[in-house]
Amino acid sequence: MGRIYLSLSQQSGLEGEYIEKALKSNWITSGGPNVNEFEEKLENYFENNSFVAALNSGTSAIHLSLVLLGVQHGDEVICQSLTFSASANPILYQGAIPVFIDSEPDTWNICPDNLEIAIKDRIKKGRKPKAIIAVHLYGMPYKVDEIHAIADRYDIPVVEDSAEALGSCYKGKKCGGFGEFGILSFNGNKIITTSSGGALISNSKALKEKAIFYSTQSKDDAIHYQHSEIGYNYRMSNICAGIGLGQMKILREKIDSRINNHLFYRELFSTIEEVELFEVNSEDYFSNYWLNIILLKSNEVKNNLLQAFEDANIETRPVWKPMHLQPIFESYPYYGNNIAEEKFEKGLCLPSGSNLTEEDRDKIKNVVTTFFNKNKRIIVK
Ligand SMILES: *Cc1c(COP(=O)(O)O)cnc(C)c1O
C-alpha cells in the first residue's frame, strides 16, 4: 500500500502547457515571460500595492530581504526560535548574529513580551537589532498587531516569513503583506510549488527592482560586465515559473482542501481527551492549516503515536526543533520561557496535503482510534 505523506505537491494538469511554451520559445534560463506573468499573478493576489520578485527559493528571499535592509557583519537580527532553519540561516550568511525569541502559547509564534524584553536588553547593551524575522508557522498568523506595534515603537523593520502561510489572513488581510518584506516559498511541500522557488514581497517597485538586480548578479548598467555590489544567482527560472502559473490556477482549491483536512482532524480529535488539536479560536486568525498539529500529554506518548503511524506507513513528524536548541545556533542569545520547547516535545505534525483522499483519512482515523483505545485499556488495568 502507498505511503501517506505529510505534505506532497499536487499538480493542476496545467503546468505542462506553460513549460511547453517555455521550451518552444527557448526561454530556458532564469527570468523570462513566465516569471513576469507569475509575478503579476502574485501581485494581483496580494492586491494592495504589492510588488513581487520571483526568486529560486524562500531562503534566498529571506537572504535578499536582509541584504536590502542593510544587515551587515556583526549586526544583530531577531528571529523566532520555533521555525525551520531556513528562517535563521540567512542571518549567518550576512555574518550577522541571530537573537532568538520564544513562542507565545496562542499562535505558537514570536512572543510579544519576550520580543520587547529582548529589544530593550539589546539596546541597553548598545546592540539595537537591525531586523525582526517573524514567522506564520504552519500557516497560523503571528500576533500581527502586537508584534508590529513593538517593531514600530523601536523603529525596527519586520521580515515576514510567510513560507508556510500563502492563503492565511490576519483580520482579513493576507499574510505576506504586513512586513517591510514578506517572503513566500514554493518548495515542493508548500501550498503551491514551482519545484523550488520563492518570492520577495514589498510595497515598492524600487525595492522589487533592486531585489531582481541583486538576484541576477548585480550587473551595473554597462555593456561590459561591471559590478559595484555583491551579486547573487537567486532569480527564478522560466521553467519553474511555468509550474507556478499552472499551480496558481488551483490555489483556492488547494487552500480549501487544507482547511477541509483541518475540519476532519477537528472532528476526529473532538472525542479524544488526551489530544489537543492546534488551532486559534478567534475570527482574526485565518490559518491555511498548511500542517495540522496535535499536542500529546508527554514526549513519550508522542513518540509512541509517531511509531504507530509509521507502522501503518503514514508519515508524521515532530514539530520543528527550536533554533536556540540547534547545535549550530545554541551559542546565540535567547529570550524566553520554554514554550517552544514544550511544543517541540509534545507536538506531532499530521498528514495535511491537499491531495489527502477519503481512504487516507480512514487509515489515519483507524490508527488514532486504535492507539487511544489501547492506551485507555492500559490505564484501566
Ligand atoms: C520552507 C520554509 C522556508 C524556506 O523556503 P525554501 O523555498 O525551502 O528555501 C523558510 N521558512 C519557513 C518557515 C519554511 O517553512
Side-chain angles (χ1 to χ4, degrees), residues 220-323:
D220 289 347
D221 196 10
I223 188 97
H224 51 276
Y225 283 86
Q226 177 170 300
H227 308 272
S228 317
E229 286 186 86
I230 297 175
Y232 305 87
N233 187 3
Y234 280 174
R235 190 73 165 132
M236 181 176 280
S237 99
N238 200 49
I239 300 284
C240 293
I243 300 174
L245 283 168
Q247 294 269 297
M248 280 305 276
K249 303 244 175 194
I250 54 161
L251 174 58
R252 194 63 258 167
E253 287 96 312
K254 278 168 161 270
I255 295 165
D256 287 348
S257 44
R258 298 253 174 192
I259 288 163
N260 281 333
N261 289 336
H262 183 71
L263 298 177
F264 156 71
Y265 284 119
R266 185 187 282 171
E267 191 183 333
L268 175 58
F269 292 111
S270 63
T271 53
I272 302 174
E273 242 176 73
E274 301 95 311
V275 177
E276 186 190 321
L277 179 65
F278 172 50
E279 53 186 5
V280 174
N281 292 316
S282 156
E283 288 193 350
D284 292 345
Y285 296 84
F286 179 82
S287 174
N288 63 16
Y289 289 106
W290 173 62
L291 292 187
N292 288 280
I293 310 149
I294 48 172
L295 272 185
L296 288 311
K297 291 280 181 228
S298 70
N299 188 250
E300 195 192 345
V301 179
K302 179 201 78 183
N303 289 331
N304 291 342
L305 181 57
L306 187 147
Q307 192 53 53
F309 275 119
E310 202 50 53
D311 294 344
N313 206 12
I314 297 170
E315 182 188 28
T316 63
R317 288 281 184 98
V319 164
W320 301 121
K321 181 173 181 177
M323 290 305 110

Side-chain angles (χ1 to χ4, degrees), residues 57-59 62 83-84 86-87 135 137 161 163-164 185 187 190 197 320:
S57 75
T59 311
I62 297 173
T83 186
F84 178 50
S87 306
V135 189
L137 205 66
D161 183 343
E164 302 173 359
S185 166
N187 192 22
K190 300 290 162 62
W320 301 121

Side-chain angles (χ1 to χ4, degrees), residues 83-142:
T83 186
F84 178 50
S85 66
S87 306
N89 278 330
I91 302 170
L92 298 192
Y93 301 169
Q94 284 307 94
I97 298 158
V99 174
F100 293 109
I101 308 291
D102 201 3
S103 299
E104 39 78 13
D106 300 337
T107 74
W108 298 20
N109 289 313
I110 189 164
C111 167
D113 298 339
N114 282 300
L115 172 64
E116 186 153 27
I117 289 168
I119 292 172
K120 280 184 176 159
D121 191 48
R122 301 325 288 176
I123 290 174
K124 208 167 78 190
K125 292 182 163 75
R127 319 231 351 101
K128 182 176 167 181
K130 276 285 171 69
I132 298 165
I133 300 173
V135 189
H136 305 294
L137 205 66
Y138 299 116
M140 182 60 73
Y142 58 78

Side-chain angles (χ1 to χ4, degrees), residues 38-57:
F38 185 49
E39 286 176 340
E40 209 178 286
K41 289 266 157 30
L42 287 167
E43 284 167 359
N44 290 340
Y45 177 77
F46 279 96
E47 297 154 9
N48 36 24
N49 211 28
S50 294
F51 293 87
V52 175
L55 303 172
N56 61 5
S57 75

